[in-house]
Amino acid sequence: MKEVIVDRFIESDNCVVGSMQLKVLPISPPPDLELCVELDRYNHKIIYFSVHSRAIGYSFANFGQVTLQASPLEKIQAVYEQLNVKTACTPPTDLTQKTFAEKRLAVLGNELWKELIPEQLKQEYWKFKDRVKTLLITSDEPWIPWELIKPYRYKDNGNREESLFWCQQFDMSRWLAGPSACDELYVGPSRAVAPHNTSLAAVKEELNFVNNLHSLNSGIESLQPLHNRTDVIDWLREENFSILHFACHGAFDNTLPNESTIKLSDGVLCPSDIGIRFAGQRLRPLIFINACHGGRNDFNFTKLGGWAAQLLEARVGVFIGALWEISDELALHFTREFYREFLEKGRIVSHAFRKARETIRNLAPYDPTWLSYVLYADPNCRIQDLDDQEKASIYDLLLQLKAIVETEPGLDIDDREEAIEQLQILATIRQKIDDVPTKKIAKKAIKILKGTPVSNYSPLAEACSAILPEIAKYLGI
Protein backbone atom coordinates (compact mmCIF):
# COMPACT_ATOMS: atom_id res chain seq x y z
CA MET A 1 0.00 0.00 0.00
CA LYS A 2 1.38 3.38 -0.97
CA GLU A 3 1.47 5.99 1.80
CA VAL A 4 1.05 9.70 1.05
CA ILE A 5 1.62 12.29 3.75
CA VAL A 6 -0.95 15.06 3.57
CA ASP A 7 -1.44 18.19 5.61
CA ARG A 8 -5.22 18.18 6.06
CA PHE A 9 -6.01 18.00 9.72
CA ILE A 10 -9.02 15.96 10.79
CA GLU A 11 -9.73 13.89 13.84
CA SER A 12 -9.01 10.42 12.37
CA ASP A 13 -5.44 9.15 12.14
CA ASN A 14 -5.61 7.95 8.52
CA CYS A 15 -7.92 7.41 5.61
CA VAL A 16 -7.73 4.74 2.93
CA VAL A 17 -8.60 5.53 -0.69
CA GLY A 18 -8.42 2.21 -2.54
CA SER A 19 -4.85 0.94 -2.25
CA MET A 20 -3.55 4.30 -1.05
CA GLN A 21 -3.39 5.30 2.58
CA LEU A 22 -3.73 8.98 3.31
CA LYS A 23 -1.88 9.55 6.55
CA VAL A 24 -3.36 12.52 8.36
CA LEU A 25 -1.08 14.68 10.48
CA PRO A 26 -2.45 16.26 13.67
CA ILE A 27 -3.25 19.92 13.30
CA SER A 28 -1.23 20.96 16.33
CA PRO A 29 0.07 19.28 19.46
CA PRO A 30 -1.34 20.15 22.86
CA PRO A 31 0.68 22.59 24.97
CA ASP A 32 3.56 21.03 26.83
CA LEU A 33 1.88 22.07 30.07
CA GLU A 34 -1.48 23.54 31.02
CA LEU A 35 -1.84 25.31 34.35
CA CYS A 36 -5.47 25.43 35.46
CA VAL A 37 -6.42 28.16 37.91
CA GLU A 38 -9.81 28.08 39.61
CA LEU A 39 -11.40 30.46 42.09
CA ASP A 40 -13.41 29.04 44.95
CA ARG A 41 -17.08 29.34 44.05
CA TYR A 42 -18.01 30.95 47.34
CA ASN A 43 -14.81 32.74 48.38
CA HIS A 44 -12.81 34.41 45.61
CA LYS A 45 -9.87 34.88 47.93
CA ILE A 46 -9.16 31.13 47.59
CA ILE A 47 -7.41 30.00 44.40
CA TYR A 48 -6.85 26.34 43.40
CA PHE A 49 -4.07 25.18 41.07
CA SER A 50 -3.81 22.02 38.97
CA VAL A 51 -1.47 20.95 36.18
CA HIS A 52 -2.04 18.85 33.06
CA SER A 53 0.65 17.57 30.70
CA ARG A 54 0.69 14.52 28.46
CA ALA A 55 4.38 15.01 27.76
CA ILE A 56 5.46 15.12 31.41
CA GLY A 57 2.77 12.90 32.88
CA TYR A 58 0.40 15.13 34.85
CA SER A 59 -3.33 14.48 34.55
CA PHE A 60 -4.94 17.56 36.08
CA ALA A 61 -2.81 16.96 39.15
CA ASN A 62 -3.68 19.11 42.16
CA PHE A 63 -0.80 21.35 43.22
CA GLY A 64 -2.28 23.23 46.10
CA GLN A 65 -4.17 26.42 46.82
CA VAL A 66 -3.55 29.87 48.18
CA THR A 67 -5.77 32.02 50.36
CA LEU A 68 -5.27 35.73 49.92
CA GLN A 69 -5.55 37.91 53.00
CA ALA A 70 -6.91 40.99 51.28
CA SER A 71 -8.91 41.93 48.22
CA PRO A 72 -7.09 40.47 45.21
CA LEU A 73 -8.21 43.39 43.08
CA GLU A 74 -6.70 45.88 45.53
CA LYS A 75 -3.41 43.99 45.53
CA ILE A 76 -3.16 43.72 41.75
CA GLN A 77 -4.43 47.27 41.21
CA ALA A 78 -1.48 48.49 43.25
CA VAL A 79 0.87 46.51 41.00
CA TYR A 80 -0.72 48.01 37.89
CA GLU A 81 -0.34 51.52 39.27
CA GLN A 82 3.36 50.93 39.83
CA LEU A 83 3.77 49.65 36.31
CA ASN A 84 1.91 52.42 34.50
CA VAL A 85 4.48 54.30 32.47
CA LYS A 86 2.68 57.63 32.75
CA THR A 87 1.46 57.48 36.35
CA ALA A 88 4.52 55.98 38.01
CA CYS A 89 7.72 57.84 38.82
CA THR A 90 9.50 59.83 36.14
CA PRO A 91 10.86 57.49 33.45
CA PRO A 92 14.55 56.72 34.02
CA THR A 93 17.06 58.63 31.94
CA ASP A 94 20.58 57.60 33.02
CA LEU A 95 22.09 54.12 33.34
CA THR A 96 21.79 54.01 37.14
CA GLN A 97 18.08 54.83 37.04
CA LYS A 98 17.44 52.34 34.23
CA THR A 99 19.25 49.57 36.11
CA PHE A 100 17.21 50.30 39.24
CA ALA A 101 13.95 50.31 37.26
CA GLU A 102 14.82 46.94 35.70
CA LYS A 103 15.58 45.44 39.12
CA ARG A 104 12.32 46.85 40.42
CA LEU A 105 10.41 44.86 37.80
CA ALA A 106 12.19 41.70 38.94
CA VAL A 107 11.26 42.39 42.56
CA LEU A 108 7.59 42.78 41.61
CA GLY A 109 7.75 39.44 39.78
CA ASN A 110 9.35 37.79 42.82
CA GLU A 111 6.63 39.18 45.08
CA LEU A 112 3.88 37.75 42.88
CA TRP A 113 5.61 34.35 42.93
CA LYS A 114 5.90 34.47 46.70
CA GLU A 115 2.31 35.52 47.40
CA LEU A 116 0.27 33.86 44.64
CA ILE A 117 1.87 30.47 43.94
CA PRO A 118 1.21 27.63 46.43
CA GLU A 119 4.22 25.93 47.99
CA GLN A 120 3.51 22.58 46.37
CA LEU A 121 3.53 24.12 42.90
CA LYS A 122 6.66 26.13 43.71
CA GLN A 123 8.55 22.94 44.50
CA GLU A 124 7.27 21.12 41.42
CA TYR A 125 8.09 24.06 39.14
CA TRP A 126 11.84 23.46 39.31
CA LYS A 127 11.29 19.86 38.19
CA PHE A 128 9.34 20.66 35.02
CA LYS A 129 10.42 24.14 33.93
CA ASP A 130 13.21 22.99 31.60
CA ARG A 131 10.97 20.34 30.02
CA VAL A 132 8.26 22.82 29.03
CA LYS A 133 8.33 25.07 25.98
CA THR A 134 4.64 25.93 25.49
CA LEU A 135 2.55 26.91 28.50
CA LEU A 136 -1.19 27.53 28.54
CA ILE A 137 -2.84 29.07 31.60
CA THR A 138 -6.55 28.32 31.70
CA SER A 139 -8.27 30.39 34.34
CA ASP A 140 -11.56 31.75 35.56
CA GLU A 141 -9.87 34.68 37.31
CA PRO A 142 -9.41 37.94 35.40
CA TRP A 143 -6.75 39.92 37.16
CA ILE A 144 -3.45 38.13 37.92
CA PRO A 145 -0.59 39.22 35.59
CA TRP A 146 0.81 35.70 35.13
CA GLU A 147 3.36 36.95 32.63
CA LEU A 148 5.02 38.97 35.40
CA ILE A 149 5.61 36.04 37.77
CA LYS A 150 9.33 35.50 38.36
CA PRO A 151 10.26 32.37 40.33
CA TYR A 152 13.14 32.10 42.77
CA ARG A 153 14.26 29.68 45.48
CA TYR A 154 17.00 29.17 48.06
CA LYS A 155 19.02 25.98 47.72
CA ASP A 156 20.23 23.85 50.61
CA ASN A 157 23.57 25.64 50.56
CA GLY A 158 21.80 28.98 51.00
CA ASN A 159 22.44 30.21 47.46
CA ARG A 160 19.56 31.95 45.72
CA GLU A 161 18.45 30.68 42.29
CA GLU A 162 16.45 32.93 40.00
CA SER A 163 14.35 31.90 37.02
CA LEU A 164 13.20 34.09 34.15
CA PHE A 165 9.80 35.77 34.11
CA TRP A 166 7.25 33.21 32.97
CA CYS A 167 6.71 35.17 29.75
CA GLN A 168 10.44 34.78 28.99
CA GLN A 169 10.79 31.19 30.12
CA PHE A 170 7.92 29.83 28.03
CA ASP A 171 6.01 30.30 24.78
CA MET A 172 3.08 31.32 26.90
CA SER A 173 -0.60 32.10 26.39
CA ARG A 174 -3.81 32.32 28.38
CA TRP A 175 -7.40 31.27 27.91
CA LEU A 176 -10.49 31.71 30.04
CA ALA A 177 -12.48 28.74 31.28
CA GLY A 178 -15.28 27.99 28.81
CA PRO A 179 -15.30 27.33 25.02
CA SER A 180 -11.92 26.16 23.76
CA ALA A 181 -9.37 28.09 21.71
CA CYS A 182 -8.77 27.31 18.04
CA ASP A 183 -5.53 25.85 16.76
CA GLU A 184 -5.46 27.50 13.34
CA LEU A 185 -6.35 30.85 11.84
CA TYR A 186 -7.26 31.33 8.21
CA VAL A 187 -5.87 34.10 6.05
CA GLY A 188 -8.33 36.66 4.75
CA PRO A 189 -9.22 40.36 5.05
CA SER A 190 -7.28 42.50 7.51
CA ARG A 191 -8.10 45.98 8.81
CA ALA A 192 -6.64 48.56 11.16
CA VAL A 193 -8.75 50.68 13.49
CA ALA A 194 -7.63 54.13 14.66
CA PRO A 195 -8.96 57.68 15.04
CA HIS A 196 -8.63 60.05 12.07
CA ASN A 197 -5.54 62.26 11.94
CA THR A 198 -3.60 60.87 14.88
CA SER A 199 -0.73 63.17 15.85
CA LEU A 200 1.53 60.42 17.20
CA ALA A 201 4.32 59.52 14.77
CA ALA A 202 4.69 55.97 16.12
CA VAL A 203 0.96 55.30 15.73
CA LYS A 204 1.09 56.58 12.13
CA GLU A 205 3.93 54.16 11.41
CA GLU A 206 2.02 51.34 13.07
CA LEU A 207 -1.03 52.01 10.93
CA ASN A 208 1.06 52.10 7.78
CA PHE A 209 2.62 48.77 8.70
CA VAL A 210 -0.73 47.10 9.47
CA ASN A 211 -2.19 48.48 6.24
CA ASN A 212 0.47 46.48 4.39
CA LEU A 213 0.25 43.11 6.11
CA HIS A 214 -0.38 41.58 2.68
CA SER A 215 3.32 42.10 2.00
CA LEU A 216 4.06 39.55 4.74
CA ASN A 217 1.55 36.93 3.61
CA SER A 218 -0.06 36.81 0.19
CA GLY A 219 -3.25 35.40 1.65
CA ILE A 220 -3.91 38.58 3.63
CA GLU A 221 -6.16 41.16 1.95
CA SER A 222 -5.35 44.57 3.45
CA LEU A 223 -8.40 46.83 3.50
CA GLN A 224 -8.75 50.52 4.33
CA PRO A 225 -8.70 51.43 8.06
CA LEU A 226 -11.84 52.05 10.09
CA HIS A 227 -12.09 55.25 12.14
CA ASN A 228 -15.63 55.40 13.56
CA ARG A 229 -17.22 53.18 16.18
CA THR A 230 -20.35 52.54 14.09
CA ASP A 231 -18.22 51.20 11.25
CA VAL A 232 -16.24 49.03 13.66
CA ILE A 233 -19.40 47.59 15.23
CA ASP A 234 -20.89 46.84 11.80
CA TRP A 235 -17.67 45.21 10.65
CA LEU A 236 -17.44 43.03 13.77
CA ARG A 237 -21.05 41.95 13.54
CA GLU A 238 -21.39 41.30 9.82
CA GLU A 239 -18.08 40.65 8.07
CA ASN A 240 -15.76 37.69 7.71
CA PHE A 241 -12.16 38.69 8.36
CA SER A 242 -8.82 37.40 9.56
CA ILE A 243 -7.27 40.30 11.50
CA LEU A 244 -8.57 43.46 13.19
CA HIS A 245 -5.85 45.65 14.70
CA PHE A 246 -6.64 48.61 16.98
CA ALA A 247 -3.99 51.33 17.35
CA CYS A 248 -5.47 53.83 19.78
CA HIS A 249 -5.85 54.84 23.41
CA GLY A 250 -7.94 53.01 25.97
CA ALA A 251 -9.06 53.41 29.56
CA PHE A 252 -10.02 50.66 32.00
CA ASP A 253 -13.02 51.08 34.29
CA ASN A 254 -12.57 48.70 37.25
CA THR A 255 -16.11 49.32 38.46
CA LEU A 256 -17.82 48.62 35.12
CA PRO A 257 -15.28 46.76 32.96
CA ASN A 258 -17.72 46.43 30.07
CA GLU A 259 -17.62 50.22 29.81
CA SER A 260 -13.82 50.32 29.44
CA THR A 261 -13.32 52.48 26.39
CA ILE A 262 -11.34 52.74 23.16
CA LYS A 263 -11.21 56.26 21.74
CA LEU A 264 -12.20 56.64 18.08
CA SER A 265 -13.01 59.62 15.87
CA ASP A 266 -16.73 59.80 16.70
CA GLY A 267 -16.54 58.83 20.37
CA VAL A 268 -15.63 55.85 22.50
CA LEU A 269 -16.14 52.15 21.84
CA CYS A 270 -16.95 49.85 24.78
CA PRO A 271 -16.98 46.05 25.15
CA SER A 272 -20.69 46.31 25.95
CA ASP A 273 -21.22 47.74 22.43
CA ILE A 274 -20.11 44.46 20.90
CA GLY A 275 -22.75 41.77 20.52
CA ILE A 276 -21.11 39.26 18.15
CA ARG A 277 -20.38 35.59 17.62
CA PHE A 278 -17.63 34.08 15.49
CA ALA A 279 -17.12 30.40 14.51
CA GLY A 280 -19.69 28.41 12.58
CA GLN A 281 -19.80 30.01 9.11
CA ARG A 282 -17.57 32.88 10.28
CA LEU A 283 -13.80 32.86 10.62
CA ARG A 284 -12.43 33.04 14.16
CA PRO A 285 -10.15 36.08 13.73
CA LEU A 286 -7.15 37.57 15.48
CA ILE A 287 -8.04 40.82 17.26
CA PHE A 288 -5.17 42.93 18.56
CA ILE A 289 -6.03 45.94 20.73
CA ASN A 290 -2.74 47.82 20.91
CA ALA A 291 -4.00 50.33 23.42
CA CYS A 292 -3.13 50.89 27.04
CA HIS A 293 -5.40 48.79 29.29
CA GLY A 294 -6.79 46.85 26.33
CA GLY A 295 -6.16 43.47 27.94
CA ARG A 296 -7.52 44.16 31.41
CA ASN A 297 -10.46 42.24 32.81
CA ASP A 298 -12.39 42.38 36.05
CA PHE A 299 -15.62 41.00 37.43
CA ASN A 300 -18.62 42.78 35.98
CA PHE A 301 -21.49 41.95 38.29
CA THR A 302 -21.80 38.15 37.92
CA LYS A 303 -19.43 37.52 35.01
CA LEU A 304 -16.10 38.60 33.57
CA GLY A 305 -16.01 41.95 31.85
CA GLY A 306 -13.55 43.78 29.66
CA TRP A 307 -12.44 43.38 26.08
CA ALA A 308 -10.65 40.06 26.51
CA ALA A 309 -13.56 38.32 28.18
CA GLN A 310 -16.12 39.84 25.81
CA LEU A 311 -14.22 38.76 22.70
CA LEU A 312 -13.37 35.30 24.01
CA GLU A 313 -17.03 34.77 24.77
CA ALA A 314 -17.67 35.74 21.14
CA ARG A 315 -15.29 32.90 20.10
CA VAL A 316 -12.47 35.04 18.75
CA GLY A 317 -9.51 32.93 17.60
CA VAL A 318 -6.71 35.02 19.15
CA PHE A 319 -6.86 38.12 21.33
CA ILE A 320 -3.90 40.36 22.18
CA GLY A 321 -4.02 43.30 24.56
CA ALA A 322 -1.98 45.29 27.08
CA LEU A 323 -2.58 45.16 30.82
CA TRP A 324 -1.23 48.60 31.63
CA GLU A 325 -0.10 51.76 29.89
CA ILE A 326 2.46 51.22 27.16
CA SER A 327 5.02 53.20 25.21
CA ASP A 328 3.82 54.12 21.71
CA GLU A 329 7.29 53.62 20.28
CA LEU A 330 7.70 50.16 21.82
CA ALA A 331 4.16 49.25 20.77
CA LEU A 332 5.21 49.90 17.18
CA HIS A 333 8.23 47.61 17.46
CA PHE A 334 6.13 44.90 19.11
CA THR A 335 3.55 45.05 16.31
CA ARG A 336 6.16 44.77 13.58
CA GLU A 337 8.00 41.85 15.12
CA PHE A 338 4.85 39.90 16.03
CA TYR A 339 3.29 40.03 12.57
CA ARG A 340 6.58 39.26 10.85
CA GLU A 341 7.07 36.17 12.98
CA PHE A 342 3.45 35.03 12.80
CA LEU A 343 2.40 35.91 9.25
CA GLU A 344 5.64 35.90 7.31
CA LYS A 345 7.67 33.19 9.06
CA GLY A 346 4.69 31.06 10.08
CA ARG A 347 5.70 30.65 13.74
CA ILE A 348 3.22 29.36 16.29
CA VAL A 349 1.46 32.33 17.82
CA SER A 350 2.99 32.00 21.30
CA HIS A 351 6.53 31.89 19.91
CA ALA A 352 5.90 34.87 17.63
CA PHE A 353 4.52 36.67 20.68
CA ARG A 354 7.55 35.83 22.81
CA LYS A 355 9.93 36.96 20.05
CA ALA A 356 8.10 40.29 19.83
CA ARG A 357 8.25 40.68 23.60
CA GLU A 358 11.98 39.98 23.65
CA THR A 359 12.52 42.51 20.86
CA ILE A 360 11.13 45.37 22.90
CA ARG A 361 12.73 44.09 26.12
CA ASN A 362 16.11 44.31 24.43
CA LEU A 363 15.31 47.89 23.40
CA ALA A 364 14.19 48.99 26.89
CA PRO A 365 14.40 46.31 29.62
CA TYR A 366 13.62 48.93 32.27
CA ASP A 367 10.31 49.92 30.63
CA PRO A 368 7.39 47.72 31.81
CA THR A 369 5.80 47.86 28.35
CA TRP A 370 7.47 44.55 27.43
CA LEU A 371 5.70 42.82 30.32
CA SER A 372 2.32 44.41 29.62
CA TYR A 373 1.26 42.34 26.61
CA VAL A 374 -0.99 39.32 27.08
CA LEU A 375 -1.91 36.63 24.58
CA TYR A 376 -5.20 34.74 24.70
CA ALA A 377 -4.82 31.80 22.32
CA ASP A 378 -3.93 28.17 21.87
CA PRO A 379 -0.13 28.50 22.20
CA ASN A 380 0.38 26.24 19.17
CA CYS A 381 -2.03 28.12 16.91
CA ARG A 382 -0.68 28.94 13.44
CA ILE A 383 -1.85 30.96 10.49
CA GLN A 384 -2.89 28.65 7.67
CA ASP A 385 -1.64 30.17 4.44
CA LEU A 386 -3.61 30.34 1.22
CA ASP A 387 -1.91 27.36 -0.37
CA ASP A 388 -2.62 25.19 2.69
CA GLN A 389 -6.28 26.23 2.61
CA GLU A 390 -6.58 25.32 -1.06
CA LYS A 391 -4.85 21.97 -0.55
CA ALA A 392 -7.14 21.20 2.35
CA SER A 393 -10.14 22.07 0.23
CA ILE A 394 -9.04 19.74 -2.59
CA TYR A 395 -8.49 16.94 -0.09
CA ASP A 396 -12.01 17.42 1.26
CA LEU A 397 -13.40 17.17 -2.28
CA LEU A 398 -11.49 13.96 -2.93
CA LEU A 399 -12.82 12.47 0.28
CA GLN A 400 -16.37 13.35 -0.75
CA LEU A 401 -15.92 11.63 -4.11
CA LYS A 402 -14.32 8.60 -2.47
CA ALA A 403 -17.29 8.17 -0.15
CA ILE A 404 -19.77 8.43 -3.03
CA VAL A 405 -17.81 5.98 -5.19
CA GLU A 406 -17.85 3.43 -2.38
CA THR A 407 -21.63 3.68 -1.94
CA GLU A 408 -22.74 4.14 -5.58
CA PRO A 409 -25.16 1.25 -6.21
CA GLY A 410 -24.83 1.33 -10.02
CA LEU A 411 -21.11 0.54 -10.15
CA ASP A 412 -19.72 -2.94 -10.67
CA ILE A 413 -16.51 -4.03 -8.96
CA ASP A 414 -14.17 -3.22 -11.87
CA ASP A 415 -15.60 0.27 -12.44
CA ARG A 416 -15.47 1.03 -8.71
CA GLU A 417 -11.81 0.00 -8.52
CA GLU A 418 -11.04 2.07 -11.63
CA ALA A 419 -12.67 5.17 -10.13
CA ILE A 420 -10.78 4.72 -6.85
CA GLU A 421 -7.51 4.33 -8.77
CA GLN A 422 -8.09 7.71 -10.46
CA LEU A 423 -8.82 9.30 -7.08
CA GLN A 424 -5.52 7.87 -5.91
CA ILE A 425 -3.74 9.56 -8.81
CA LEU A 426 -5.32 12.96 -8.08
CA ALA A 427 -4.64 12.66 -4.36
CA THR A 428 -0.99 11.90 -5.08
CA ILE A 429 -0.68 15.05 -7.21
CA ARG A 430 -2.85 17.41 -5.16
CA GLN A 431 -0.92 20.56 -6.02
CA LYS A 432 -0.74 23.05 -8.86
CA ILE A 433 0.84 21.43 -11.90
CA ASP A 434 3.66 23.05 -13.86
CA ASP A 435 4.97 20.18 -16.01
CA VAL A 436 3.19 18.84 -19.09
CA PRO A 437 3.44 15.08 -18.35
CA THR A 438 1.76 15.46 -14.96
CA LYS A 439 -0.96 17.63 -16.48
CA LYS A 440 -1.70 14.85 -18.97
CA ILE A 441 -1.96 12.30 -16.16
CA ALA A 442 -4.33 14.51 -14.16
CA LYS A 443 -6.48 15.28 -17.22
CA LYS A 444 -6.76 11.57 -18.01
CA ALA A 445 -7.80 10.78 -14.42
CA ILE A 446 -10.53 13.42 -14.51
CA LYS A 447 -11.71 12.24 -17.93
CA ILE A 448 -12.00 8.65 -16.70
CA LEU A 449 -13.94 9.76 -13.60
CA LYS A 450 -16.31 11.80 -15.75
CA GLY A 451 -16.89 8.75 -17.94
CA THR A 452 -17.69 6.37 -15.11
CA PRO A 453 -20.70 4.34 -16.36
CA VAL A 454 -23.53 5.46 -14.11
CA SER A 455 -26.91 7.13 -14.67
CA ASN A 456 -26.76 10.87 -15.33
CA TYR A 457 -28.95 11.37 -12.27
CA SER A 458 -26.99 9.14 -9.93
CA PRO A 459 -25.25 10.62 -6.85
CA LEU A 460 -21.82 9.94 -8.39
CA ALA A 461 -22.66 11.64 -11.70
CA GLU A 462 -23.99 14.70 -9.91
CA ALA A 463 -20.95 14.79 -7.61
CA CYS A 464 -18.51 14.48 -10.51
CA SER A 465 -20.31 17.26 -12.36
CA ALA A 466 -19.98 19.58 -9.35
CA ILE A 467 -16.61 18.59 -7.91
CA LEU A 468 -14.33 17.66 -10.82
CA PRO A 469 -14.38 21.17 -12.38
CA GLU A 470 -13.24 22.62 -9.04
CA ILE A 471 -10.38 20.14 -8.82
CA ALA A 472 -9.36 20.84 -12.42
CA LYS A 473 -9.46 24.59 -11.78
CA TYR A 474 -7.18 24.30 -8.76
CA LEU A 475 -4.72 21.99 -10.52
CA GLY A 476 -4.58 24.43 -13.42
CA ILE A 477 -5.75 22.05 -16.14
Side-chain angles (χ1 to χ4, degrees), residues 33-35 49-53 56-59 61-64 113 117-132 151-153 166 170:
L33 188 134
E34 180 178 2
L35 175 62
F49 295 80
S50 61
V51 169
H52 181 69
S53 171
I56 301 176
Y58 301 119
S59 182
N62 180 13
F63 277 103
W113 167 261
I117 305 301
E119 194 60 38
Q120 190 177 351
L121 182 56
K122 286 177 180 174
Q123 294 176 11
E124 195 70 15
Y125 174 80
W126 301 96
K127 299 177 183 178
F128 67 66
K129 76 177 184 70
D130 292 327
R131 300 174 63 188
V132 172
Y152 70 94
R153 66 173 174 175
W166 275 5
F170 308 112

Side-chain angles (χ1 to χ4, degrees), residues 7 9 50 60 71 81-82 100 102 124 148 156 214 241 244 248 257 292 338 356 391 408 423 440 446 459 470:
D7 59 356
F9 309 117
S50 61
F60 298 101
S71 163
E81 290 302 323
Q82 292 183 65
F100 177 78
E102 187 176 355
E124 195 70 15
L148 188 58
D156 293 339
H214 60 275
F241 60 95
L244 193 65
C248 43
C292 53
F338 171 74
K391 287 180 182 178
E408 175 60 52
L423 287 174
K440 288 182 177 180
I446 290 175
E470 292 298 318

Side-chain angles (χ1 to χ4, degrees), residues 176-216:
L176 296 179
S180 63
C182 64
D183 46 16
E184 62 180 345
L185 293 181
Y186 289 89
V187 292
S190 169
R191 269 198 142 125
V193 178
H196 273 296
N197 303 322
T198 177
S199 60
L200 299 172
V203 174
K204 289 180 179 178
E205 286 189 56
E206 182 178 342
L207 286 173
N208 183 62
F209 181 83
V210 174
N211 289 339
N212 288 279
L213 290 182
H214 60 275
S215 66
L216 304 180

Side-chain angles (χ1 to χ4, degrees), residues 74-92 100-101 103-109 111-112 115 148 293 296 323-325 366-369:
E74 289 178 2
K75 167 62 182 175
I76 302 303
Q77 186 67 28
V79 173
Y80 288 142
E81 290 302 323
Q82 292 183 65
L83 291 169
N84 277 338
V85 173
K86 296 175 182 176
T87 61
C89 59
T90 304
F100 177 78
K103 289 182 177 180
R104 181 168 153 268
L105 293 176
V107 170
L108 284 172
E111 289 178 353
L112 291 174
E115 295 182 25
L148 188 58
H293 296 317
R296 286 278 296 280
L323 287 170
W324 49 81
E325 293 185 57
Y366 53 86
D367 187 319
T369 294

Side-chain angles (χ1 to χ4, degrees), residues 392-402 423 467 470-471:
S393 176
I394 296 302
Y395 179 61
D396 285 340
L397 295 176
L398 289 170
L399 286 181
Q400 291 177 44
L401 277 178
K402 177 250 183 186
L423 287 174
I467 292 175
E470 292 298 318
I471 294 175

Side-chain angles (χ1 to χ4, degrees), residues 39 43-47 66-73 75-76 115-117 143-144:
L39 295 182
N43 183 354
H44 286 173
K45 293 181 181 179
I46 301 175
I47 309 175
V66 293
T67 302
L68 305 179
Q69 301 302 313
S71 163
L73 181 58
K75 167 62 182 175
I76 302 303
E115 295 182 25
L116 297 175
I117 305 301
W143 37 263
I144 295 177

Side-chain angles (χ1 to χ4, degrees), residues 168-422:
Q168 289 180 283
Q169 180 72 35
F170 308 112
D171 288 345
M172 174 182 175
S173 67
R174 308 176 175 212
W175 200 254
L176 296 179
S180 63
C182 64
D183 46 16
E184 62 180 345
L185 293 181
Y186 289 89
V187 292
S190 169
R191 269 198 142 125
V193 178
H196 273 296
N197 303 322
T198 177
S199 60
L200 299 172
V203 174
K204 289 180 179 178
E205 286 189 56
E206 182 178 342
L207 286 173
N208 183 62
F209 181 83
V210 174
N211 289 339
N212 288 279
L213 290 182
H214 60 275
S215 66
L216 304 180
N217 188 305
S218 61
I220 296 295
E221 179 187 4
S222 299
L223 303 178
Q224 290 300 308
L226 300 174
H227 305 289
N228 300 320
R229 54 185 176 177
T230 302
D231 294 336
V232 173
I233 291 171
D234 289 345
W235 180 260
L236 284 168
R237 289 179 177 175
E238 299 172 9
E239 301 298 333
N240 229 3
F241 60 95
S242 181
I243 296 171
L244 193 65
H245 182 101
F246 291 79
C248 43
H249 288 286
F252 178 73
D253 186 331
N254 62 7
T255 58
L256 289 172
N258 273 354
E259 300 308 317
S260 299
T261 61
I262 290 175
K263 298 177 182 178
L264 296 175
S265 295
D266 61 343
V268 295
L269 184 68
C270 304
S272 59
D273 295 329
I274 309 299
I276 54 174
R277 182 65 182 269
F278 300 108
Q281 297 300 312
R282 300 189 69 190
L283 298 178
R284 295 181 67 179
L286 181 154
I287 295 182
F288 187 163
I289 299 182
N290 207 13
C292 53
H293 296 317
R296 286 278 296 280
N297 292 303
D298 191 13
F299 286 104
N300 183 28
F301 300 108
T302 59
K303 66 176 182 178
L304 289 172
W307 284 102
Q310 189 82 355
L311 291 170
L312 264 61
E313 185 177 347
R315 305 297 302 276
V316 71
V318 172
F319 174 72
I320 297 172
L323 287 170
W324 49 81
E325 293 185 57
I326 54 179
S327 156
D328 293 325
E329 187 67 33
L330 294 177
L332 167 63
H333 288 287
F334 185 94
T335 297
R336 285 174 172 166
E337 187 66 19
F338 171 74
Y339 284 125
R340 284 169 180 161
E341 291 289 324
F342 186 56
L343 296 180
E344 186 175 34
K345 298 181 181 179
R347 312 288 193 198
I348 60 173
V349 68
S350 60
H351 186 71
F353 197 79
R354 180 153 70 126
K355 289 276 288 184
R357 191 192 298 277
E358 279 298 298
T359 294
I360 62 173
R361 187 192 72 83
N362 290 333
L363 291 173
Y366 53 86
D367 187 319
T369 294
W370 72 272
L371 287 163
S372 177
Y373 284 102
V374 291
L375 169 68
Y376 287 86
D378 179 324
N380 288 309
C381 178
R382 291 183 188 271
I383 191 78
Q384 189 181 60
D385 67 31
L386 196 58
D387 190 49
D388 287 337
Q389 289 175 214
E390 291 175 334
K391 287 180 182 178
S393 176
I394 296 302
Y395 179 61
D396 285 340
L397 295 176
L398 289 170
L399 286 181
Q400 291 177 44
L401 277 178
K402 177 250 183 186
I404 294 170
V405 166
E406 290 181 334
T407 59
E408 175 60 52
L411 280 179
D412 61 30
I413 293 176
D414 290 340
D415 290 333
R416 196 184 310 276
E417 289 182 351
E418 177 69 24
I420 287 175
E421 183 180 343
Q422 303 313 311

